[in-house]
Amino acid sequence: MLVAIRLIFILRTFIFISAEKIFHSRDHSDRFLSKYGFIKAGDGDEPQISAEAAGETDVSLPLDLQEGGSTSGSSSADLQFITALKEFQRVSGLPVSGVFDDATKAAMNKPRCGVPDQDEELDSTKQDTAESNSTSTHNHTDAVNASETQPHERKKRHLAALLKSRKKRDASEWTGYMAFSKSLLKWRLMGEGYSSQLSIDEQKYIFRLAFRMWSEVSPLQFVEDVHSPLEDIDIRLGFGTGRHLGCSQRFDGAGREFAHAWFLGDIHFDDDEHFTVPNMGNGISLLKVAVHEIGHVLGLPHIYRPGSIMQPSYLPQDGGFEIDWMDRKSIQSLYGVCKGHFSTVFDWIRKEQTPYGEVVVRFNTYFMRDGLYWLYENRNNRTRYGDPVAVQVGWHGLPSSGVDAYVHVWNRKTDAVYFFKGVQYWRYDSENDQVFSEDADGRSYPRLISEGFPGVSGPVDTAYYDRRDAHIYFFKGSQVFRFDVRVNRLASSSPQNISEVFPAVVPGNHPVGNLDAAYFSYTHNTVFLLKGAWYWRVVSGRDRRRSASLPLNGLLPRRNVDEQWFDICDVHGSSLRTARR
Ligand SMILES: [Zn+2]
Ligand SMILES: [Zn+2]
């Protein structure tokens, strides 16, 4: 049972069309600063602004501060205003002058999300929890019935909470809430809440993509569920105009509030907005807004940092936006990092001709887990955006359930890629990107491992080819079989125990057997043995030059795979075909 926290996040944008709405004066900026949590009432003070005034009424007050002027700091209200203004300037990356200047005005007038920036609703969390427990079934009908009474209460409480006194808190300290205690979340596009502008397929596609983007960087998985009772649905999305979907927060036509999210999983989009499919170049990208709103539902606050999808300002589409490094770290601080075993890991080497006719060797690192694979970009230290992909999509002709091992025999005489599964193996035709049914030597595939590699019988746990000694290392149980490709037979000493060939540097710190993967890394110029969530790196020549006491092929103490290779995350099977490219 997840903690029932109900907070509304209002995504509200102020556009230039409506001059009255622009924050051009002290009173308007006062209201802005209050609304987004920069001004908080002092201890014992009553909130300065009522919920209704802050939320809906455009109150006109006489100017009491010259635009661009500095304040003399006479009253406590002025001091409070200047402090709040400075805080806003700080998080907005402006010079912290405390002066309400043109740059500050411009920043306030930017389209932005209505979620308060500096708020931790500890008190209201408790209230809302109780409320949620008693009233919230997430049943739409209930919600409609309750809309005339409950939501107003809720909204007042929420806005009052914003103005409530609490200890000063730096916005950057608020890292969010873990909103869900399970990792598989169900979502639904509400039947009564379809967009009138995009096809249902387009809407669902975009939402699937938005959820998938969070899956790619966290242990969370999302699945569309159109059958379960509504109370079992974790995240409900819908479009509406004006009073909509039984929600407390009225939409106000084009240009202002365009979406909002309730912390417990309701996300609403204003159907009067011009939402568009990705890369349209106009309108508001539904994908971008959805990723942002889902971020809120998962518990993330606003993040003031260029490049963050959780920035409060809506920035126009900038091509293929991504959940960047720091946003990844933010969601992972709530839900942890992605962990898991791998079936095989390998560097895929290929020769390429540069535009200058030079032949260069390039490689990419692949991680395979059962029927899925990820391409790991070593230079950027992350997986390719949009991964994982089904093995059979990227590697034509391989078993759909994946492979046990990959070997690339690569020397002056030979350039052959093999995949192993069970008792069989396949040779892969890199040029035509598919398995050979028959290779140039007239051998047909799949073949028995024992036929191609005398002395070795499948299934093997894993294998790799070591260019330095022209041997394939087959791992099986606690043994390693060294196969000399030059003479096509096992080394005379084989098989040996893995712990003999790869002795532990620290006694006892060794995988012993039943490896998941053995990987020769061209980036590190050494071998990694993987088992479960751990890896052991084999001592390299460089290590031994530095420290002569290290044993040949010694295994350094184990480390977490996720400390070396980041964010290799599963996505739900239902979103596998949701490709972004
Ligand atoms: Zn927001
Ligand atoms: Zn709503």
Side-chain angles (χ1 to χ4, degrees):
M1 168 81 187
L2 52 89
V3 182
I5 304 163
R6 176 157 276 224
L7 294 174
I8 189 169
F9 284 129
I10 312 152
L11 192 61
R12 183 182 284 260
T13 177
F14 297 90
I15 60 162
F16 292 90
I17 300 164
S18 170
E20 291 81 357
K21 306 289 190 286
I22 295 178
F23 292 98
H24 56 81
S25 63
R26 158 70 189 269
D27 57 288
H28 281 99
S29 60
D30 237 342
R31 208 139 48 71
F32 177 97
L33 293 168
S34 295
K35 182 177 170 63
Y36 300 116
F38 292 97
I39 291 180
K40 295 164 180 105
D43 282 340
D45 287 356
E46 285 303 306
Q48 302 283 314
I49 300 164
S50 76
E52 301 310 322
E56 301 198 346
T57 322
D58 196 19
V59 189
S60 260
L61 296 171
L63 273 179
D64 59 2
L65 182 74
Q66 242 0 95
E67 287 180 30
S70 163
T71 59
S72 54
S74 53
S75 72
S76 70
D78 280 345
L79 282 173
Q80 191 186 37
F81 173 76
I82 294 163
T83 306
L85 198 60
K86 283 183 174 173
E87 182 61 11
F88 172 76
Q89 289 169 330
R90 191 183 66 76
V91 299
S92 305
L94 297 166
V96 182
S97 61
V99 176
F100 184 43
D101 54 12
D102 286 346
T104 308
K105 257 184 286 175
M108 286 186 176
N109 283 315
K110 268 188 194 164
R112 60 153 287 157
C113 173
V115 178
D117 293 304
Q118 308 203 15
D119 200 27
E120 186 158 357
E121 305 282 326
L122 292 178
D123 299 338
S124 65
T125 295
K126 283 180 201 147
Q127 288 172 338
D128 289 343
T129 301
E131 177 193 288
S132 240
N133 284 340
S134 60
T135 64
S136 174
T137 61
H138 310 302
N139 180 297
H140 180 66
T141 315
D142 286 357
V144 170
N145 293 340
S147 67
E148 293 311 308
T149 53
Q150 294 280 343
H152 266 292
E153 303 273 319
R154 190 180 293 146
K155 182 177 138 199
K156 274 186 189 166
R157 195 174 305 154
H158 169 68
L159 288 170
L162 300 189
L163 303 170
K164 209 184 283 175
S165 136
R166 60 176 58 91
K167 70 175 180 183
K168 182 160 167 47
R169 173 169 283 275
D170 186 319
S172 61
E173 290 172 17
W174 186 30
T175 52
Y177 301 91
M178 185 176 174
F180 297 97
S181 57
K182 55 185 176 181
S183 58
L184 179 60
L185 303 175
K186 298 173 181 172
W187 65 270
R188 181 177 298 171
L189 173 57
M190 305 300 289
E192 62 275 36
Y194 291 138
S195 159
S196 60
Q197 303 169 53
L198 299 167
S199 73
I200 293 173
D201 281 350
E202 283 173 325
Q203 297 164 56
K204 288 191 170 186
Y205 166 78
I206 289 170
F207 292 143
R208 249 196 309 274
L209 207 50
F211 283 116
R212 186 188 154 123
M213 286 177 73
W214 284 114
S215 279
E216 288 174 15
V217 301
S218 75
L220 296 171
Q221 293 191 36
F222 303 90
V223 61
E224 183 184 8
D225 184 326
V226 294
H227 299 297
S228 297
L230 198 53
E231 59 265 31
D232 294 341
I233 305 300
D234 300 298
I235 301 172
R236 298 155 298 276
L237 309 102
F239 293 77
T241 58
R243 278 230 175 273
H244 60 277
L245 303 170
C247 179
S248 64
Q249 202 69 32
R250 178 192 285 271
F251 280 132
D252 50 9
R256 298 188 65 197
E257 188 167 328
F258 57 69
H260 51 227
W262 290 78
F263 205 10
L264 201 58
D266 291 292
I267 298 175
H268 299 153
F269 301 89
D270 188 345
D271 203 21
D272 282 328
E273 303 296 343
H274 180 42
F275 285 116
T276 53
V277 298
N279 305 319
M280 274 286 285
N282 60 13
I284 296 172
S285 163
L286 180 58
L287 178 63
K288 221 170 169 178
V289 172
V291 170
H292 180 102
E293 293 301 312
I294 292 166
H296 280 322
V297 159
L298 297 178
L300 288 180
H302 282 145
I303 297 171
Y304 275 94
R305 183 177 47 73
S308 174
I309 190 61
M310 297 312 292
Q311 287 179 96
S313 304
Y314 175 81
L315 299 172
Q317 300 195 45
D318 47 3
F321 80 94
E322 301 294 350
I323 295 175
D324 73 2
W325 178 263
M326 291 301 289
D327 285 348
R328 289 166 176 242
K329 297 302 133 195
S330 299
I331 195 75
Q332 289 163 8
S333 74
L334 302 181
Y335 295 96
V337 297
C338 300
K339 291 178 181 288
H341 75 279
F342 295 98
S343 313
T344 191
V345 183
F346 59 89
D347 282 343
W348 176 258
I349 312 275
R350 63 189 189 285
K351 288 179 188 142
E352 267 180 24
Q353 210 159 15
T354 67
Y356 309 104
E358 199 183 348
V359 175
V360 293
V361 174
R362 298 193 195 283
F363 68 89
N364 288 115
T365 303
Y366 289 88
F367 285 79
M368 287 189 175
R369 175 182 299 152
D370 305 325
L372 300 177
Y373 76 93
W374 293 256
L375 190 158
Y376 199 84
E377 296 175 350
N378 292 291
R379 205 181 337 155
N380 302 317
N381 221 344
R382 61 163 168 76
T383 59
R384 176 175 61 183
Y385 290 123
D387 281 353
V389 177
V391 166
Q392 67 207 88
V393 171
W395 304 89
H396 304 114
L398 290 186
S400 60
S401 58
V403 297
D404 299 327
Y406 159 95
V407 161
H408 185 186
V409 177
W410 186 47
N411 56 36
R412 259 181 297 171
K413 273 169 53 189
T414 319
D415 186 354
V417 169
Y418 302 107
F419 286 99
F420 300 79
K421 174 73 171 182
V423 296
Q424 295 180 311
Y425 75 104
W426 289 257
R427 184 167 174 191
Y428 202 79
D429 180 354
S430 306
E431 247 161 68
N432 296 304
D433 202 14
Q434 63 183 37
V435 296
F436 280 109
S437 50
E438 190 180 302
D439 65 16
D441 305 323
R443 280 186 288 259
S444 59
Y445 296 92
R447 298 185 80 200
L448 286 174
I449 295 171
S450 53
E451 280 176 27
F453 305 92
V456 183
S457 60
V460 297
D461 293 329
T462 187
Y464 74 91
Y465 175 68
D466 197 324
R467 250 188 123 218
R468 298 168 299 188
D469 65 3
H471 280 64
I472 298 173
Y473 288 65
F474 289 100
F475 294 84
K476 197 170 168 169
S478 60
Q479 294 187 310
V480 55
F481 297 71
R482 296 174 59 238
F483 189 87
D484 189 337
V485 299
R486 294 163 300 194
V487 292
N488 209 45
R489 65 163 182 261
L490 282 180
S492 55
S493 55
S494 275
Q496 288 170 280
N497 281 330
I498 299 173
S499 50
E500 271 177 64
V501 181
F502 302 94
V505 168
V506 173
N509 198 321
H510 195 277
V512 184
N514 303 317
L515 299 181
D516 289 332
Y519 161 45
F520 185 92
S521 163
Y522 286 90
T523 304
H524 300 90
N525 202 33
T526 190
V527 177
F528 292 84
L529 304 184
L530 286 80
K531 184 173 174 176
W534 304 102
Y535 76 83
W536 289 259
R537 184 166 75 78
V538 175
V539 168
S540 64
R542 201 169 154 205
D543 294 329
R544 293 187 78 214
R545 282 193 293 280
R546 279 189 197 153
S547 174
S549 63
L550 287 171
L552 181 68
N553 290 332
L555 287 193
L556 294 167
R558 71 182 186 186
R559 289 184 61 199
N560 285 310
V561 170
D562 58 78
E563 290 173 46
Q564 180 69 47
W565 296 282
F566 300 107
D567 305 349
I568 305 176
C569 298
D570 276 319
V571 302
H572 193 267
S574 62
S575 67
L576 268 181
R577 282 193 298 276
T578 314
R580 264 187 285 167
R581 290 180 296 274

